[in-house]
């Protein structure tokens, strides 16, 4: 099968031309290594998952760099963050751009180490699993339910790995290895229960106390677990938008998954037909649409600038895309038949949010139109909102 082109490639090329180091962050199996090795095919390659390289890097940095010849790709650099100080010394001496391509799948400790050692020396890009636009450009075109069931992991599309095996393996590997390493979880079954509870609350305002009670752990533990899940690209938060429209606004974030297919797996969905019957289909669809827009931002090297709006009376707009001083309000509906009521919250919001631009409804139908200044588009085109 031909390699699927990643839309982030042009930004990757630009960053390598102007920075001595490019750091690519993203979930495990999102395609970071494939992208780096194919785009920088003449670079040497070091994988810190390899025990031999790991031990050498951990125990003798000078010996490690005696065998590492630049330009080089160093995979999973978060495993030995101590390397970053030495990399700083090397790039300051060599004064050449594009010398190091670093990848990492855990951002908490890595971002802290980068800010201390590599400030001003590295560009940071975020690579998530395939976007709908990337898959469409490669000839993969599926329905809403099929996308939500199978997700976007490259291994499924490049190796035709069965969905049930892919997510079972991903889930088990993450819980049994990564989480044990990061958290030293004593009761693995409780953490598994917690992940499934989170999947059942996609798109809901997070309630730490309720999650703690339902899982059977402390609120402090829930807070710590969410932090690690966020840092390791399993979940992300959508923060509420504030613009002094009213003092009575909801202030807690919502939780979404970086991979809708994993969320469907955790909910026990076993085929595309079950998706449309699942009571959370609207939440899953909302997750996918927000994620597609986030992928479009990351592909351009932009920081996440997505929010939601809700006041204390329950009035809500699903998504706010901040673009400088203007915002794009977005309503997300999983229905496939257009209804003029889809835009009523957008009209109300735009009455008091005068910095609104291009209010848009995203739904699963094929009819695309604009009426009374509000656009209605198919979900496969929602990434275009960032263009």
């Amino acid at each position: 099968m031909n390699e699927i082109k990643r839309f982030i490639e042009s930004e990757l090329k630009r960053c390598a031309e102007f920075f001595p180091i490019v750091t690519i962050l993203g979930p495990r199996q999102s395609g970071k290594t494939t992208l780096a090795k194919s785009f920088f095919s003449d670079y040497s390659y070091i994988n810190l998952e390899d025990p031999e390289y790991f031990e050498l890097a951990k125990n003798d940095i000078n010996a490690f760099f005696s065998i590492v010849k630049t330009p080089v790709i160093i995979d999973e650099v978060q495993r030995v963050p101590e390397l970053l100080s030495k990399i700083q010394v090397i790039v300051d001496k060599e004064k050449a751009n594009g010398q190091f391509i670093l990848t990492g799948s855990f951002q908490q400790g890595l971002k802290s180490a980068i800010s201390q050692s590599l400030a001003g020396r590295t560009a940071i890009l975020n690579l998530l699993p395939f976007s709908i636009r990337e898959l469409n450009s490669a000839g993969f075109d599926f329905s809403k339910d099929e996308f939500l069931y199978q997700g976007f992991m490259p291994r499924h599309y490049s190796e035709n790995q069965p969905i049930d095996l892919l997510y079972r393996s991903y889930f088990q590997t993450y819980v049994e290895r990564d989480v044990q390493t990061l958290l030293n979880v004593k009761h693995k079954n409780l953490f598994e229960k917690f992940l499934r509870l989170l999947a059942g609350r996609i798109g809901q305002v997070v309630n730490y106390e309720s999650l703690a009670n339902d899982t059977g752990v402390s609120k402090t533990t829930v807070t710590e677990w969410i932090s690690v899940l966020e840092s390791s690209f399993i979940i992300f938060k959508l923060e509420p938008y504030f613009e002094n429209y009213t003092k009575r606004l909801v202030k807690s974030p919502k939780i979404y998954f970086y991979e809708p297919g994993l969320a469907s797996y955790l909910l026990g969905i076993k085929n595309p037909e079950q998706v449309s019957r699942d009571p959370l289909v609207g939440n899953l669809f909302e997750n996918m649409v927000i994620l597609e827009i986030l992928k479009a931002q990351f592909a351009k090297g932009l920081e996440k600038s997505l929010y939601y709006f809700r006041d204390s009376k329950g009035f809500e707009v699903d998504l706010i895309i901040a673009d400088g001083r203007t915002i794009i309000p977005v309503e997300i509906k999983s229905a496939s038949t257009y209804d003029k009521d889809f835009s009523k919250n957008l009209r109300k919001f735009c009455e008091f949010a005068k910095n609104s631009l291009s209010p848009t409804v995203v739904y699963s139908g094929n009819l695309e139109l604009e009426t009374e200044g509000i656009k209605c588009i198919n979900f496969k085109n929602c990434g275009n909102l960032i263009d």
Side-chain angles (χ1 to χ4, degrees):
M1 185 192 116
N2 292 332
E3 191 173 297
I4 298 175
K5 180 178 174 62
R6 305 308 303 264
F7 287 2
I8 203 171
E9 285 182 7
S10 59
E11 187 64 21
L12 177 59
K13 179 177 184 292
R14 192 166 74 102
C15 289
E17 289 174 351
F18 291 98
F19 287 89
I21 307 160
V22 179
T23 304
I24 307 172
L25 303 177
R28 286 192 176 277
Q29 300 180 23
S30 63
K32 301 183 299 295
T33 303
T34 300
L35 174 66
K37 291 177 75 173
S38 63
F39 201 81
F40 302 99
S41 57
D42 56 339
Y43 281 35
S44 54
Y45 174 75
I46 301 290
N47 187 351
L48 291 177
E49 296 281 7
D50 184 319
E52 188 174 348
Y53 283 128
F54 173 77
E55 291 298 330
L56 186 61
K58 198 75 176 171
N59 298 319
D60 194 337
I61 287 179
N62 289 328
F64 176 81
F65 279 104
S66 71
I67 65 170
V68 172
K69 305 303 179 185
T70 58
V72 62
I73 301 164
I74 301 180
D75 233 342
E76 301 295 349
V77 73
Q78 83 280 348
R79 300 204 70 210
V80 191
E82 299 87 348
L83 293 179
L84 299 180
S85 295
K86 183 66 174 180
I87 290 173
Q88 174 200 334
V89 173
I90 293 171
V91 299
D92 286 352
K93 181 180 179 181
E94 293 186 355
K95 298 188 183 302
N97 290 332
Q99 293 301 292
F100 287 88
I101 308 300
L102 311 179
T103 80
S105 54
F106 181 69
Q107 55 184 331
Q108 192 173 54
L110 185 57
K111 278 198 167 180
S112 174
I114 286 171
S115 66
Q116 293 176 24
S117 302
L118 303 182
R121 299 170 178 86
T122 184
I124 300 175
L125 297 176
N126 294 283
L127 183 73
L128 301 182
F130 290 136
S131 68
I132 291 175
R133 291 196 296 176
E134 287 171 338
L135 290 174
N136 283 172
S137 69
F140 294 99
D141 190 14
F142 302 105
S143 69
K144 170 201 71 179
D145 294 344
E146 288 170 321
F147 272 128
L148 288 174
Y149 167 66
Q150 62 198 20
F152 302 90
M153 297 297 283
R155 187 164 291 181
H156 170 63
Y157 297 94
S158 61
E159 301 176 16
N160 201 28
Q161 191 172 55
I163 293 301
D164 59 334
L165 295 181
L166 189 157
Y167 289 113
R168 185 171 67 204
S169 171
Y170 193 89
F171 178 63
Q172 291 173 343
T173 299
Y174 181 72
V175 171
E176 292 175 2
R177 189 184 73 169
D178 290 1
V179 171
Q180 287 290 345
T181 300
L182 298 168
L183 286 173
N184 191 25
V185 175
K186 295 186 176 70
H187 302 290
K188 190 176 67 174
N189 61 320
L190 286 181
F191 187 78
E192 292 182 13
K193 179 182 179 182
F194 173 71
L195 268 174
R196 296 183 191 279
L197 284 170
L198 274 185
R201 300 184 187 195
I202 279 179
Q204 296 180 19
V205 176
V206 63
N207 184 322
Y208 292 91
E209 189 168 341
S210 173
L211 278 168
N213 291 336
D214 290 350
T215 307
V217 297
S218 69
K219 185 178 175 182
T220 301
T221 297
V222 163
T223 303
E224 183 184 14
W225 284 359
I226 284 180
S227 176
V228 168
L229 287 169
E230 192 176 14
S231 294
S232 48
F233 292 98
I234 298 296
I235 64 171
F236 65 94
K237 292 176 183 174
L238 195 68
E239 300 289 345
Y241 183 77
F242 298 103
E243 192 65 46
N244 297 323
Y245 297 130
T246 171
K247 294 181 180 179
R248 297 185 299 276
L249 295 175
V250 171
K251 297 182 179 179
S252 297
K254 293 183 178 184
I255 295 290
Y256 295 94
F257 277 67
Y258 275 113
E259 176 45 73
L262 176 62
S264 292
Y265 168 81
L266 291 170
L267 290 171
I269 294 172
K270 294 181 168 56
N271 55 62
E273 290 71 32
Q274 286 185 9
V275 173
S276 60
R277 299 195 299 268
D278 195 277
L280 289 177
V281 61
N283 303 63
L284 289 168
F285 182 74
E286 184 177 297
N287 191 149
M288 180 171 66
V289 169
I290 292 171
L291 189 61
E292 285 302 300
I293 295 170
L294 180 59
K295 289 173 183 176
Q297 287 189 330
F298 284 169
K300 290 180 173 292
L302 303 174
E303 292 289 322
K304 176 162 74 76
S305 55
L306 306 179
Y307 308 89
Y308 77 96
F309 180 88
R310 180 188 286 178
D311 65 20
S312 59
K313 296 180 180 179
F315 173 71
E316 180 173 353
V317 173
D318 295 326
L319 181 66
I320 303 292
I321 305 172
D323 184 13
R325 299 178 67 86
T326 61
I327 58 175
I328 303 173
V330 180
E331 277 289 278
I332 303 168
K333 305 294 183 182
S334 63
S336 58
T337 303
Y338 173 75
D339 188 321
K340 64 180 181 179
D341 283 347
F342 289 170
S343 59
K344 66 179 182 181
N345 280 12
L346 292 176
R347 286 194 292 270
K348 181 178 177 181
F349 181 78
C350 291
E351 287 176 3
F352 59 81
K354 301 303 183 184
N355 57 334
S356 296
L357 178 73
S358 301
T360 303
V361 172
V362 178
Y363 78 133
S364 64
N366 294 319
L367 178 66
E368 297 198 337
L369 69 158
E370 181 171 346
T371 176
E372 297 180 12
I374 296 176
K375 297 177 182 176
C376 184
I377 64 173
N378 179 266
F379 72 97
K380 297 175 187 177
N381 299 320
C382 64
N384 295 336
L385 291 172
I386 304 302
D387 292 342

